[in-house]
Amino acid sequence: MASFLPEEIIYHIFSWLPVESLMRFRCVFKFCNSLVFDPSFVDIHQRHSISRPHKTKFLTSSGYGKNLYTIDQASFLRIAEINETRYPRFGYVKGLFCLWGSWVQPPVIYNPITRKVISLPSQNFLEKRTVHYCSLGFEPEKKKYKILMITHVRSAPSRYWVFTLGSAESWREIKSAPASLSLIFINGGVCIDGISYFFGCYKGKACIAEYNVRTENFRIISLWKDEYYIPTLNYYNLIELEEKLTAIDHSRMEMGEMDFWILESSESSEEWVKNTIAFPQMYLEAEYVSCFCCSYTPNGEIVFIVNFGRGPKWILFYDWKKKSWRDIEIKEITGEIDIIGVYGNVDGLLPFMYC
């Protein structure tokens, strides 16, 4: 095929195809198999992918995190059972998942399109009774995925380790975190344009820790208010909203409202802008409702997962500019299956270079 068409034409035609089509062509043409790993082609395909409509998908689990499923609006598909190991926690960045558990090693990287799973190197530095937490980040300049691991043993200070996906190196310990910083992984963190954000505690006060994936340095960001009682962070979630860090506060959900704070500036001083969400009354009138903010869609909607006891689960979408709601009921999901995440990234080839 490559001998009949100029390379420029081939690049142009294939750069507009969706990932699923390119994966099918890999099985037919050797040229396509090498093309999807060509960095220049990956860049062109990524730019074209931005203009395509994005689908929001949902990752679900059962069997205490052993079985994974994906939901595309109304379709329900089982995608993996990973080594009979429970991975109750995860992070998602640029098409890849990092699945991990506080007492499970090693973590694994999972590509939901290829359904391929790779295990990270075992952490020989983990001692008995060591609790560890992981975070997947992405460095946009060099297009590198990095996993940050925080380990903690009893009353000893936390230690920080980094592994670069696709490299031959092992876990590296870094010393850039402030001595009085403790990261809090109650509701996970979020990576935005090469910066990962986590809730934390610094010098006895709740804060947000900023971690630069490229430089591997930390910075402390003050909250919009003084917060000393750390357990109240259970009411907060960090998400990305139009490429800005956003904190959702659902402590007033029983009153029918939620606040979300958008970080408008973080270079030298923090400027948080408050917005309020009026929650639909029809969902508040249910006998038993549990709700947590999960993520946002590529279209800029905030996603909420609502559970009505053991019945069907509802996925709510909030357009914060139009102040409007829409919902999806997933009847196939019962009390034994939990929606644990949202993903709907640009349909790009970058994850296939690593997993």
Side-chain angles (χ1 to χ4, degrees):
M1 180 178 180
S3 61
F4 295 101
L5 292 174
E7 184 176 293
E8 295 79 6
I9 300 298
I10 297 173
Y11 265 51
H12 179 75
I13 294 174
F14 280 84
S15 65
W16 287 100
L17 294 177
V19 169
E20 289 83 355
S21 298
L22 289 173
M23 292 301 105
R24 287 194 292 269
F25 281 126
R26 285 181 61 193
C27 302
V28 181
F29 303 107
K30 291 183 178 180
F31 172 76
C32 296
N33 190 47
S34 60
L35 192 63
V36 297
F37 296 102
D38 184 339
S40 61
F41 178 79
V42 171
D43 288 339
I44 295 172
H45 186 271
Q46 186 77 13
R47 290 196 295 270
H48 290 170
S49 297
I50 295 175
S51 62
R52 297 195 192 99
H54 310 309
K55 289 184 178 181
T56 301
K57 298 182 180 180
F58 308 91
L59 186 71
T60 67
S61 71
S62 67
Y64 299 100
K66 294 180 181 179
N67 301 312
L68 297 179
Y69 306 80
T70 187
I71 300 171
D72 183 355
Q73 300 297 327
S75 63
F76 191 78
L77 174 67
R78 177 173 176 173
I79 51 180
E81 179 174 333
I82 304 177
N83 303 328
E84 288 293 333
T85 302
R86 181 187 178 189
Y87 292 97
R89 299 175 182 265
F90 78 96
Y92 176 80
V93 178
K94 298 291 183 183
L96 292 181
F97 284 94
C98 178
L99 305 171
W100 55 281
S102 298
W103 301 96
V104 179
Q105 67 159 317
V108 298
I109 301 297
Y110 172 67
N111 187 326
I113 301 298
T114 63
R115 307 181 197 177
K116 184 179 179 181
V117 177
I118 60 173
S119 296
L120 300 180
S122 297
Q123 304 93 316
N124 297 326
F125 51 80
L126 289 184
E127 304 173 12
K128 190 176 182 180
R129 300 183 181 276
T130 299
V131 180
H132 65 274
Y133 307 92
C134 295
S135 170
L136 178 63
F138 180 75
E139 179 186 345
E141 291 86 0
K142 295 185 177 180
K143 296 181 175 57
K144 294 289 186 180
Y145 293 88
K146 290 184 178 181
I147 298 90
L148 173 69
M149 176 182 291
I150 298 91
T151 61
H152 184 74
V153 182
R154 300 183 182 89
S155 59
S158 297
R159 300 174 68 182
Y160 298 81
W161 310 80
V162 173
F163 181 82
T164 303
L165 197 61
S167 69
E169 67 181 21
S170 58
W171 290 92
R172 299 177 287 107
E173 185 171 11
I174 59 174
K175 304 285 188 178
S176 55
S180 2
L181 173 65
S182 297
L183 296 185
I184 303 170
F185 284 78
I186 296 175
N187 291 312
V190 60
C191 184
I192 306 172
D193 194 25
I195 305 294
S196 295
Y197 300 92
F198 313 90
F199 282 117
C201 180
Y202 182 65
K203 296 183 178 180
K205 183 184 295 187
C207 69
I208 290 177
E210 175 187 290
Y211 170 71
N212 189 306
V213 180
R214 179 180 63 84
T215 65
E216 300 177 359
N217 291 322
F218 289 83
R219 191 172 74 89
I220 304 301
I221 298 177
S222 300
L223 298 182
W224 50 93
K225 64 177 181 178
D226 287 340
E227 188 72 85
Y228 294 93
Y229 187 50
I230 301 302
T232 59
L233 291 179
N234 279 302
Y235 293 113
Y236 297 151
N237 290 87
L238 294 178
I239 66 169
E240 174 187 355
L241 190 59
E242 296 189 346
E243 300 183 351
K244 294 181 179 179
L245 178 66
T246 302
I248 307 290
D249 177 2
H250 49 92
S251 60
R252 298 190 297 116
M253 179 185 165
E254 292 183 356
M255 302 172 60
E257 290 185 345
M258 295 185 188
D259 294 327
F260 65 101
W261 301 79
I262 301 176
L263 182 61
E264 294 291 349
S265 175
S266 64
E267 292 299 327
S268 57
S269 61
E270 292 77 42
E271 179 186 353
W272 293 92
V273 177
K274 179 183 178 181
N275 297 267
T276 300
I277 300 174
F279 207 77
Q281 188 63 32
M282 62 176 293
Y283 301 112
L284 297 174
E285 293 174 352
E287 181 178 354
Y288 171 75
V289 178
S290 65
C291 174
F292 64 93
C293 172
C294 197
S295 185
Y296 82 110
T297 71
N299 298 322
E301 295 174 302
I302 304 175
V303 183
F304 298 88
I305 310 301
V306 180
N307 301 322
F308 295 97
R310 297 184 178 179
K313 293 177 173 59
W314 288 76
I315 303 172
L316 308 183
F317 301 85
Y318 179 73
D319 188 320
W320 70 284
K321 290 185 174 179
K322 297 180 180 179
K323 294 182 170 52
S324 61
W325 293 85
R326 66 184 181 93
D327 58 47
I328 298 175
E329 180 185 7
I330 309 296
K331 296 182 179 180
E332 291 88 348
I333 297 183
T334 63
E336 297 179 355
I337 299 178
D338 296 317
I339 301 175
I340 62 175
V342 177
Y343 64 103
N345 214 337
V346 173
D347 183 30
L349 283 168
L350 184 65
F352 296 90
M353 300 180 68
Y354 297 94
C355 181

